[in-house]
Each structure stands twice: as C-alpha cells, then as structure tokens.
Amino acid sequence: MTVLGTAETFKRDWLDGFVTAYGRTVRKVPDAYGVIGRQVPRRGKVAVVIGGGCGHYPAFAGLVGPGLADGAVVGDVFTSPSAEQVYRTARAAEGGAGVLFGYGNYQGDVLHFGLAARRLAAEGIDSRTVLVTDDIASGPAERAERRRGVAGDLLVFKIAGAAAERGDDLAGVHAAAIKANASTRTFGVAFGGCTLPGAAEPLFTVDDGAMELGLGIHGEPGVRTVGRLGARALADELVDGLLPELPAHDGRVVALLNGLGRTKYEEMFVAYTRVHERLAAAGLSPLHTEVGEFVTSLDMAGVSLTVMVLDDELAGLYAAPCDTPGYRSTGAVLDRVEPESTVDDYPADATRGGVVDRVLTAALESVEDNEEELGRLDAVAADGDHGLGISRGMRAAVVAARHAEAAGAGVPDALLRAGTALADAAGGASGALYGVLLAETGAGLRGLPEITAGALAGAVDRAAHAFVQLGGAEPGEKTMLDAIEPFRVTLRAEADAGSGLERAWRKAALAASTAAADTANLVPAKGRAARLAEKSKGHADPGATSFALIVTAVGEELGKDG
Amino acid sequence: MTVLGTAETFKRDWLDGFVTAYGRTVRKVPDAYGVIGRQVPRRGKVAVVIGGGCGHYPAFAGLVGPGLADGAVVGDVFTSPSAEQVYRTARAAEGGAGVLFGYGNYQGDVLHFGLAARRLAAEGIDSRTVLVTDDIASGPAERAERRRGVAGDLLVFKIAGAAAERGDDLAGVHAAAIKANASTRTFGVAFGGCTLPGAAEPLFTVDDGAMELGLGIHGEPGVRTVGRLGARALADELVDGLLPELPAHDGRVVALLNGLGRTKYEEMFVAYTRVHERLAAAGLSPLHTEVGEFVTSLDMAGVSLTVMVLDDELAGLYAAPCDTPGYRSTGAVLDRVEPESTVDDYPADATRGGVVDRVLTAALESVEDNEEELGRLDAVAADGDHGLGISRGMRAAVVAARHAEAAGAGVPDALLRAGTALADAAGGASGALYGVLLAETGAGLRGLPEITAGALAGAVDRAAHAFVQLGGAEPGEKTMLDAIEPFRVTLRAEADAGSGLERAWRKAALAASTAAADTANLVPAKGRAARLAEKSKGHADPGATSFALIVTAVGEELGKDG
C-alpha cells in the first residue's frame, strides 16, 4: 500500500523531502529532477552520474555522496528520467573531466541517457556509459549484454565512484566500471508484489505459497514459479543460480543480500547463514558482506543475492570509504567467520524421572494445547506471544527437571533448575515471573522431610511473596497475581483444615481458575487500563489464564497418584 | 508475512546469519544470544550493553560497533532476553570500567536486566542503567518515567556510545545517557499491522482508511484512531504531538523519521518535507536528520518522528562517528536547507489555440479515458504505468503546443515543442518514442506551403524512420511499430490515391487499430517473448494500443472540421 503521497506529484514530493533531510550531503539541481553532491562539481574529477526511475530508494538519489556518485537523475516511479533531466543533472555535476553515466539496462534509460550524452558531446563534454546487466534471470549468458540491471547497481556504482574519487580519468573510471559490471551477478526472488503510488491494486501479485524466481525490480515476470521454499532451500536456489554464472575468480567476492522493501531484516539474516555456507563451500570468501535494503522495489516482498568477484583493483576500490544518505562504508574488510550456532538445543531425552518432571510435563501439555488461545488473549493488549513464550519456557523447564531428577536431585533442586531454565528460555516478563514462582517454590521446600499440603502452602506463600516483589503488581490489576492470590489463600486454608496434598491443590487450582475467568471479564472502570480492556473486550493479562491452566493440569497429574 | 524462518528457531537463525554477515564488526558471545563488538572488551572503557526483544532490526544487535554499543542481548521476537543472557553478554563486554545498560522501558526487560545487574554487582562489577522512555503516547508527561522506549533508543544509545568512546567513566556515561533520554521524544503512527514469524494472522490490524496514532512497536494500542491522513496532515499530527512535549531548547535538534518496516522510503521523504517546515517554523533547526529504518517492528506499516534537543555536550557526542552494521555516521552536520520545489507545473491556460492543441487534446482525452486499461495491459508484462506515463506526457504536450500556438507558432514548431515536452514529462521508453514521433512529424512538415495528405504522409515516413532508429524495434515484435507501420503504409497509399487529409488519416487510423488488436492477440511461437506473452494472455506491448487510440482520436477531431 502507498499511504503517503499521490501519484501525480510523488517524484517531486519525495525528492523535496530527501534533499531537505540530507542537505548535508546532497543538493538539488536547479530546475531538474536531479541531485548532486554538496561539493559537486569538483574541478578535474570525473563526474559519476547515475539514475533511473524512482521507487528503488536508496537507489539512485540515496547513493550520491563522497566516494560514490556525484549526481543522480530521478525519473517517475519505475520510469526512466527524460533526456532533458539527464542533461541538466550531468551539466550540473561535471567538472571538466567528463561524465561516467551508470544505469540499469532498460530501454527507456538507454534512450534518454543516450540522447543526453549526444547533447553533451555537441557541447564538447565527453561522456561514457556503463550499463548494469547483473540480473541473470533476464537473459541467457550468451546475450549477457541484454540483461537488465538490479541490485548490482550498488556495487558497480560503488566501484565507479571509488575510481573517480582516486582521480582516474574518464577512460579509467569507465574501464573500472565495465570490469565491475562484468564481475557482478544477481539472482532474486519475489514473495509478494508492490503497489504503485495512487494505485488501488498491487502492480502484480505472487500466489500464496509460491515464489517467483528471477522476478525483476519493476514486476517483470520471473523465470520460474516454485512452491514456497524454506530459508535453506531458497538460499540454495539463489546460490545454485549464481555459481555457474560467475566469471573466473580467486575466491574473493563481495556478497550482497538485498531486500526489496517489505521483507524483514531478520528474515534476510535467516537466509544469509546458508548463503554464506554455500559460498564458502564453493571456495568463495566474502571480503565484504551487506544484508539490507539497497535497491528496493517499493514495498515488494522478496530478496536478491548479488555476488561480485574481486581482483586486486576491484578489492581496493570496493574497500574505499563512501558516505551517502543511503549507504555508508568505512570499507572494513570482513575476516572469514564461520557460522556457528549459539546454544545447543536441549537434547531429547526419553527418561521419565520424578514428580517434578511429571507435573511440569502435564502443565506443558496443557499450555501447548491452549497456546493459540493464550496468544489470542495476549494479542489484544500486547504482542501475542504469551502462549508461545510460556510453551518454550515450559519445555526447557521440563528438560531441566528431567535431567536434574535423573541425576538424583530432589523436588526442591529440580524446581530450582526448572525455574532457572524457564526464565532463560522464555525471556519476557512472564518468563521471569514464572521462573521465580518455580524456583522459590523449590527453595521453600528445601530441607523439609516430606512434602505435605502444609509444606506446599508455605512454599507457595514464599513464591507469591517473591512474585510480588519482582513484578510489582497489586491485587485487582487483572494480572497473574489475581489468580495466584486465591490459589495461595485456598491452599493455605485447605492445609490448615487438614486436607491432603492432592485435594488441597485441586481446590486451590479451582479457585485460581474461577478467579482467572473473573479477571478476564472484569473491566476496570477508568483510565488507560479501562481503555485497554475495552479494546480487548474484557480480556487483560493472559498470565492469570495460563497460571490457572498450569495449576489445574498439575492437580490432575497429582490425582493420578491417588 | 514471514516467509523465511520458523518461530521456534527464529532468534537463533537470524542471529547466526547476522554474525556471519557482519563478522567484520561483531562477534557472538559464547553460549549466549548476544553479540559484542569485535574489539570488545576494551580495557578501561565503560561497556555500553543494550538489548531487548528481536523484530526491531537494526535495533538492537545491528547497533553494536565502534562509537555505539559494545554489546547487545537478543531476546525472542518482541520478548525481553533472560537475565542469564543479559548477564553473559555483559560479562563478555565489560572491560573493568563497568557496564551501562540501555533498553526500552518494558516490564520484562526491567526484570531481566535488573536481575543481571544484581548478579554482576555480586561479582563486583558496577553497572548503571538508562531506561529509554521516549514514546509520548505511552503515558502522560507527569509520569514520563513510565513511558516506553521506541525509536529514541537509537539516539540515546548513540549518545551513551559516544560518551563511552571518548573515555567518560561510568558515572559520566550514565549522566550523558540520562540527559539524552530526557531530551528525546517520539510520536508514531501505524497504518498496518505486523506478522510474527510462524503466525498465520497479523498480530493486529489497522482498519483500511484508518491510522492509529501512538501505536507501540509491539502492537500496543494507540492513543487515537483517525481517518487516513495525507502526508501533510500526518506530519502536522506528529509535530503537533511532539512540540508541547519538548524540553527547553536553543533550537538545535536531531530529527529522526523512522520507518517501522513496510513503509516505502519515498513515502517517508514525502512526509519529511512538511515535518521540516513545521520544525523550522517552531524555531527548531535539525543539525542531523535521518530518514530510514532504525527501530522497526517486523513488517509493520507506519512511521515515527523523534526529536532530540541538543545542548553543546549532546551536540558534540551526537556528531561523533560510529560504524555499526545497521547505522553508520561520519557525524557530518546538516546546514540549514529550505525545501524548494524543483520544477513549476505548467500553468493552467484556458486559451484554445490552433490545430495541434486541438488534436492533441482529443488524443489526451482518449488516453485518459483508457488510462486504466493501458496500465492493465502494461502491468502484465511490465510495470503498469504506460497509461499514466503517456497521460502525463500528453498533458505536457498539449500545454506546450497551446503556448507555442498562442505565441504564433505554426504546426511544425508546435509539434516540435509538444514532442520535447512529452518526452521530458513522461520519461521512459515510450515517452522518448512518442516524443520523437511528434517532433519528427513536425520537422517533416517544416517549410511546406500547405498540410496535405501527401505532406503528412511524407512527415510520417520520416517520423517512423526516426522511431525505428531510436527504438531498434523490428516489425512483428509486437511493439508500437506494428501499429505504426500499417498506419504509415495506409496513409501513404491513401495520399497517393488522392484522398483528402481527413479521409486518408481515418483510413490509416483504422489500419493501426486493426493491427493493434491483432498485435495484442498474437502469441509469438517461442522463446522469452512467447513466455511473456503466455503470461500476459496474448497482450504484449501496450504501445500499439495507445498509438491506435491516439491516431483514432486525432482522426475524429479532424473530422469535426469537415
């Protein structure tokens, strides 16, 4: 969707904002849809002038600045700029040493930049051109010169900018840029279409559960539709597509994983692990890696992988620093880093040990059965991951208790281990609070000869106290505490009345369940909490519900002993 | 949507990829979900350790590097990391001068970072904490300490990082960070919800045509739902929200327009023009501006505006360079730049001049009437803006012809001006090609005593020749040429047979229309063109259709003379 900006004036409006925001780096070309660097023109330096349609930010205007482009011409969305605009921008950028034009290989750009170049020539201004043709999906290798330019734009322009910055003449900058383009290949995939400003419908769509391999950055059709791949399989597709296309190399490369607009950064990183593994297996060592958004396609969902093979010259030029609104680099080189996983999974373990393992397993099953409902409750007022987080924490707790009990630990230590593992695995406020409940219950049972209803009531008193200290909640605020308190009070009363452990627990669990249901339906009278509750149709903190589920499941498990 | 990565292992998977990609800057903390800078720990330097749930990249792990954070702890999506993880990361980052913890003010983070701080203290490691509370929508000014942290995270951490980098001791770094937080305010708006990894449904939704002011970065409810605002009105809402909340200042500020994940960069710039104008009107001068994605919320659609007021100390610290995977700065200061528009619109002009104005106006109307259909044809194989681009170009052509004819120009000059204006306004390949057709037709009529069918046929011959030269198309490739050729041939035949101008033109237009319809239905037998055509259900280049529309409309307009 496009929310801000209208089709008619989109180019002008965003360009105005861009120049306003990044006036420290760029300024506007008078009477043209173009920008040049603040210190441009620079006498005696080749001017690198790039451009194309807009909708690809930071390409192209966002790549103007020291060490990269001197100027950029801005066309309408997905439309080449006109010859007139190219001419004016180049005229403003050139400093007497000629102009290196760089743009993706699209017919409109070729026409307009070509016309502008002729006009410059007529005025005695020399220019040369690099057409970026990195997209291997857009044509066969035998006709590589017909391919279109996509994310490789950034790398080719970076090389041209660095060559111009170090003082190469026009022939030198041109030669470096041509070499960079010849060394660069990109293969991309789209998961979902983009929407043009002012358009009611997406420009194109990708079927749910499908991916379009090789789709262009203006919605040009892909080469192959496949079912939706996982990160690993997708990375394999991208690398398998690129490898046979790479020119001769000594292993040194730049790797660029480019997001097309809507794909989450974290998702790109998920795919990058496998990309790197595959590149390394093929003998390629990325000296520089970037994962981010560099040549976008409005709000398109998808990614592309670009590899540029380096020789000494390209390696030196790529490492030179640059400072533009959309891409800044200190040129630091990447040491070879092997992917490693952070923390081992808890191994699956079939041993079924003591009572803590059993009751926590029952609790886990209950939470898992209700994961979706807990998430739904949580989503109304918070971030919807309560069920997921508690399940994750409980699984870790079960494994920790199982290990502890298998190693001979008693109930107090098993609970302590389980609580620590839960807090660590679940994170979040509820992870910390559940962790404290378990650990403090365990601590309260330590040193006792037998676990009676009274002993448990005392331990729960202690745990509830620690809970309040840590969480800072007060009764009636519709938090987990509103289920813990009736649980605690009932357990104590039953113990005092001489009930057995199982009966006392089940009565207490019933009190917790009743209170949780009440809690979920109470609407505070006023204030922010009331507004939240109204939004949430009476449900507030899902913690009360999850607590009730857990103690109920534990009670049922204890009943099996009887 | 989340395509790459599964809920269960999302945090680990993306963190692996992140460390692999950015190993030049960061490395993993052993056995923890945390990263530290490559040169960390640094003896005698305060360690700035930030963190929180993931889903906000580049916050928080992407902000680790020289000049910013020394370490970051990574929780699950939208979930605080556990105390254990915080402890391990801080332990790995600290270099003997203590730890400055920085994180957004959320209960889970407060709990876990607090527990970790206690554990560090027990080991004799000093730590202090800055809670970021920049989100004005999350609580009243009287209880500002209860507000949550959002995009202001970046600015507060940047200040803390710079203070630590220049060698301040823990009390000094803490004081600078506290001052930075006290100087920073954010107000945001959401247009659409985000989707958690593994979730089938969005975490929350925003009604079509609505905006949620003040919505948090984890989907926390906003303060007000409004109808969808234009860029200007939205910028006003954001600035009007912030201005009364700003602390005392001397006009120097940092302005940050932050995208939440799915909002197009160009859209943010559209809004920034007005933001800057309003800030300037309120006496605020942004020394630094950033427009981009810094603290995201998965793929949420929306933006937030952050303003940090600067004193000498904060200004100096903010200008210090930093180099992290997600944010790099050379610290260059922004000179004051006033927004200005680039090119004036052609003024509306009611004069209705000669024949070129009339026929082009008729052509424009026909194109506008069919804009949607042309766009639809174009969208199948290309970017869907053919109708829009040609309309824009034709409007400029009409105005140019009108001005020229009002100033006394004849048909040849009026056509020349119209062609130039069309190419400039439309851009793109079709803009260049239509521009050449008009201009060369005009050139072919120059110096003739009268415009006869024969004269026109000669001029069209010339234009078609120039068209082929420029565009490089050949007959049968289903381009515009396949409509131009029958038009040209028929016009010539009619002229040779002695037909009058209007009759000759209408016959030629009919031939063009027939050919365009054929063209649209012909499917090339093989190769890429065939695949494209298959995808496009037989429609290829919409240029043939638009050409037929235009010459038909011109013929009808000429008929009105009769």
Side-chain angles (χ1 to χ4, degrees):
Chain A
M1 68 185 154
T2 302
V3 175
L4 304 174
T6 50
E8 294 299 313
T9 59
F10 193 72
K11 171 176 65 170
R12 168 185 312 180
D13 292 343
W14 84 258
L15 199 54
D16 276 346
F18 170 69
V19 173
T20 304
Y22 288 105
R24 65 172 181 265
T25 311
V26 300
R27 59 195 177 91
K28 202 175 280 179
V29 176
D31 297 322
Y33 292 105
V35 296
I36 57 175
R38 246 188 118 66
Q39 278 76 38
V40 170
R42 285 161 59 188
R43 294 299 315 162
K45 175 183 175 297
V46 171
V48 175
V49 175
I50 63 177
C54 74
H56 306 300
Y57 191 87
F60 299 95
L63 302 178
V64 171
L68 226 157
D70 295 278
V73 203
V74 180
D76 283 285
V77 177
F78 293 178
T79 303
S80 78
S82 76
E84 181 67 27
Q85 305 294 323
V86 176
Y87 167 78
R88 289 182 192 174
T89 304
R91 205 72 177 81
E94 74 93 24
V99 176
L100 188 282
F101 284 120
Y103 47 93
N105 184 30
Y106 297 90
Q107 191 193 11
D109 296 289
V110 171
L111 293 180
H112 287 283
F113 278 83
L115 290 171
R118 275 195 250 169
R119 192 156 155 203
L120 289 175
E123 297 181 13
I125 298 170
D126 205 5
S127 73
R128 300 215 182 170
T129 293
V130 59
L131 286 181
V132 183
T133 56
D134 57 314
D135 186 0
I136 63 167
S138 57
E142 312 85 71
R143 308 192 71 173
E145 76 287 353
R146 293 221 175 175
R147 288 174 171 173
R148 63 199 172 203
V150 288
D153 283 339
L154 172 69
L155 306 188
V156 175
F157 301 160
K158 170 78 182 68
I159 294 294
E165 193 73 40
R166 75 175 176 189
D168 285 10
D169 64 11
L170 183 56
V173 175
H174 185 237
I178 293 290
K179 189 203 278 184
N181 182 58
S183 306
T184 303
R185 303 287 187 278
T186 297
F187 192 36
V189 58
F191 319 143
C194 56
T195 306
L196 298 172
E201 298 296 321
L203 175 55
F204 66 96
T205 55
V206 176
D207 289 345
D208 262 8
M211 289 180 166
E212 281 277 334
L213 286 165
L215 194 126
I217 58 173
H218 312 96
E220 299 94 337
V223 291
R224 191 149 54 92
T225 305
V226 295
R228 193 166 279 184
L229 304 171
R232 199 176 163 87
L234 174 65
D236 285 344
E237 282 283 355
L238 295 179
V239 175
D240 286 338
L242 283 187
L243 285 180
E245 291 274 348
L246 288 184
H249 58 79
D250 63 11
R252 291 176 294 173
V253 297
V254 175
L256 177 78
L257 194 64
N258 175 59
L260 291 165
R262 197 168 63 203
T263 298
K264 297 160 189 163
Y265 293 104
E266 288 87 351
E267 288 187 85
M268 288 193 260
F269 285 119
V270 170
Y272 186 73
T273 304
R274 177 65 175 172
V275 166
H276 189 90
E277 198 176 295
R278 288 293 315 282
L279 294 180
L284 298 172
S285 177
L287 300 191
H288 304 265
T289 302
E290 293 286 5
V291 177
E293 296 181 348
F294 305 100
V295 179
T296 59
S297 182
L298 294 172
D299 54 356
M300 186 165 144
V303 298
S304 65
L305 174 65
T306 303
V307 171
M308 177 164 75
V309 309
L310 298 174
D311 62 9
D312 287 345
E313 184 195 20
L314 293 181
L317 289 170
Y318 198 82
C322 66
D323 183 12
T324 76
Y327 184 68
R328 300 166 198 164
S329 169
T330 60
V333 172
L334 181 64
D335 289 357
R336 184 67 166 277
V337 177
E338 289 309 320
E340 28 166 334
S341 67
T342 39
V343 175
D344 283 343
D345 267 334
Y346 290 98
D349 185 336
T351 323
R352 292 187 54 85
V355 66
V356 178
D357 178 7
R358 272 178 45 225
V359 299
L360 289 183
T361 299
L364 168 61
E365 280 163 8
S366 177
V367 169
E368 283 182 334
D369 289 347
N370 292 281
E371 200 171 277
E372 215 165 292
E373 173 64 9
L374 290 171
R376 206 185 55 71
L377 286 177
D378 195 33
V380 195
D383 59 9
D385 64 352
H386 185 80
L388 203 65
I390 295 303
S391 293
R392 191 171 58 228
M394 291 291 289
R395 275 192 291 276
V398 164
V399 174
R402 190 171 300 168
H403 282 193
E405 290 182 320
V411 169
D413 278 326
L415 283 173
L416 195 66
R417 293 287 182 87
T420 305
L422 192 155
D424 188 31
S430 49
L433 293 166
Y434 269 115
V436 156
L437 281 180
L438 284 180
E440 292 291 324
T441 302
L445 294 173
R446 194 182 301 274
L448 296 180
E450 198 191 348
I451 300 184
T452 61
L456 211 47
V460 168
D461 279 345
R462 173 180 171 142
H465 181 70
F467 180 95
V468 170
Q469 276 213 311
L470 182 65
E474 285 173 35
E477 292 184 339
K478 301 185 56 177
T479 68
M480 205 194 300
L481 184 62
D482 289 350
I484 293 176
E485 266 305 287
F487 178 84
R488 185 187 70 80
V489 168
T490 306
L491 187 65
R492 165 61 62 199
E494 288 291 318
D496 290 351
S499 296
L501 190 151
E502 185 219 329
R503 179 189 160 84
W505 186 282
R506 295 185 75 150
K507 286 264 194 176
L510 187 63
S513 296
T514 310
D518 280 356
T519 298
N521 292 316
L522 273 171
V523 177
K526 57 177 185 170
R528 182 168 167 80
R531 211 174 48 70
L532 275 180
E534 192 188 346
K535 266 188 134 33
S536 65
K537 301 182 188 62
H539 301 295
D541 186 336
T545 303
S546 64
F547 179 81
L549 284 171
I550 288 170
V551 291
T552 301
V554 168
E556 282 166 11
E557 184 63 29
L558 290 174
K560 292 180 186 164
D561 293 340
Chain B
M1 67 185 155
T2 302
V3 175
L4 304 174
T6 51
E8 294 300 312
T9 60
F10 193 71
K11 171 176 64 171
R12 168 186 312 180
D13 292 343
W14 84 257
L15 198 54
D16 276 346
F18 170 70
V19 173
T20 305
Y22 288 105
R24 65 172 181 264
T25 311
V26 300
R27 59 196 178 91
K28 202 175 280 179
V29 176
D31 296 323
Y33 293 105
V35 296
I36 57 175
R38 247 189 118 65
Q39 279 74 39
V40 170
R42 284 160 60 189
R43 295 299 314 163
K45 176 183 175 296
V46 171
V48 175
V49 176
I50 63 177
C54 73
H56 306 300
Y57 191 86
F60 300 96
L63 302 179
V64 171
L68 227 156
D70 295 280
V73 203
V74 180
D76 283 286
V77 177
F78 292 178
T79 303
S80 78
S82 75
E84 181 68 27
Q85 305 295 322
V86 176
Y87 167 79
R88 289 182 193 174
T89 304
R91 205 72 176 79
E94 74 93 23
V99 176
L100 188 281
F101 285 120
Y103 48 93
N105 184 31
Y106 297 91
Q107 190 192 10
D109 296 288
V110 172
L111 292 179
H112 287 283
F113 278 84
L115 290 169
R118 275 195 249 169
R119 193 156 153 202
L120 289 175
E123 297 180 13
I125 297 170
D126 205 5
S127 72
R128 300 215 183 172
T129 293
V130 59
L131 286 180
V132 183
T133 57
D134 57 315
D135 186 358
I136 63 167
S138 57
E142 312 85 71
R143 308 190 71 173
E145 76 287 352
R146 293 220 175 176
R147 288 174 171 172
R148 65 200 172 203
V150 288
D153 283 340
L154 172 69
L155 306 189
V156 175
F157 301 160
K158 170 79 182 68
I159 294 294
E165 193 74 41
R166 75 175 176 189
D168 285 9
D169 65 10
L170 183 56
V173 174
H174 185 238
I178 293 291
K179 189 204 276 184
N181 181 58
S183 306
T184 302
R185 303 287 187 279
T186 297
F187 192 37
V189 58
F191 320 143
C194 57
T195 306
L196 297 173
E201 298 297 320
L203 175 55
F204 67 96
T205 55
V206 176
D207 290 343
D208 262 7
M211 289 180 167
E212 280 277 335
L213 287 165
L215 194 125
I217 59 172
H218 312 95
E220 299 93 338
V223 290
R224 191 150 54 93
T225 305
V226 295
R228 193 165 278 183
L229 304 172
R232 199 175 164 88
L234 174 65
D236 285 344
E237 282 282 357
L238 296 179
V239 175
D240 286 339
L242 282 187
L243 285 180
E245 291 274 348
L246 288 185
H249 58 79
D250 63 11
R252 291 176 295 173
V253 297
V254 175
L256 178 78
L257 195 65
N258 175 61
L260 290 166
R262 197 168 62 203
T263 299
K264 297 159 189 165
Y265 292 104
E266 289 87 352
E267 289 186 84
M268 288 193 261
F269 286 119
V270 170
Y272 187 73
T273 304
R274 177 65 174 172
V275 165
H276 189 90
E277 197 176 296
R278 288 295 314 281
L279 294 180
L284 298 172
S285 177
L287 300 191
H288 305 266
T289 301
E290 294 287 3
V291 177
E293 296 181 348
F294 305 100
V295 179
T296 59
S297 182
L298 294 172
D299 54 355
M300 186 167 144
V303 297
S304 65
L305 174 65
T306 303
V307 171
M308 175 164 75
V309 308
L310 299 173
D311 61 8
D312 287 345
E313 185 195 18
L314 293 181
L317 289 169
Y318 198 83
C322 66
D323 184 13
T324 77
Y327 183 68
R328 300 166 198 164
S329 169
T330 59
V333 172
L334 180 63
D335 289 356
R336 185 67 165 277
V337 177
E338 290 308 321
E340 28 166 335
S341 68
T342 38
V343 175
D344 283 343
D345 267 333
Y346 290 97
D349 185 334
T351 324
R352 290 187 56 85
V355 66
V356 178
D357 177 6
R358 271 178 45 224
V359 299
L360 290 183
T361 299
L364 168 62
E365 279 162 9
S366 176
V367 169
E368 283 183 333
D369 288 348
N370 292 280
E371 199 171 276
E372 215 165 291
E373 173 64 9
L374 289 171
R376 206 186 56 71
L377 286 176
D378 195 34
V380 194
D383 59 10
D385 63 352
H386 185 79
L388 204 64
I390 296 303
S391 293
R392 192 172 57 229
M394 290 293 288
R395 275 193 292 275
V398 164
V399 174
R402 189 171 300 168
H403 281 192
E405 291 182 321
V411 168
D413 277 326
L415 283 172
L416 195 66
R417 295 286 181 86
T420 306
L422 191 156
D424 188 32
S430 49
L433 292 167
Y434 269 115
V436 156
L437 281 180
L438 283 181
E440 292 291 324
T441 303
L445 294 173
R446 195 183 299 276
L448 297 180
E450 198 190 348
I451 302 185
T452 61
L456 211 46
V460 167
D461 279 346
R462 173 180 171 142
H465 182 71
F467 179 96
V468 170
Q469 277 213 311
L470 182 65
E474 284 173 36
E477 292 184 339
K478 300 186 58 181
T479 68
M480 205 195 300
L481 184 62
D482 289 350
I484 294 176
E485 266 304 289
F487 179 84
R488 185 187 71 79
V489 169
T490 306
L491 187 65
R492 165 61 61 201
E494 288 291 320
D496 290 351
S499 294
L501 190 152
E502 186 218 327
R503 180 190 160 84
W505 187 280
R506 295 184 74 151
K507 286 262 195 178
L510 187 63
S513 298
T514 310
D518 280 357
T519 299
N521 291 316
L522 272 172
V523 178
K526 58 178 184 170
R528 183 170 166 78
R531 211 174 47 71
L532 276 179
E534 192 187 347
K535 266 188 137 34
S536 65
K537 302 181 186 61
H539 300 296
D541 186 336
T545 303
S546 64
F547 179 81
L549 284 171
I550 288 171
V551 291
T552 301
V554 168
E556 281 166 12
E557 184 63 29
L558 290 174
K560 291 181 187 164
D561 293 341

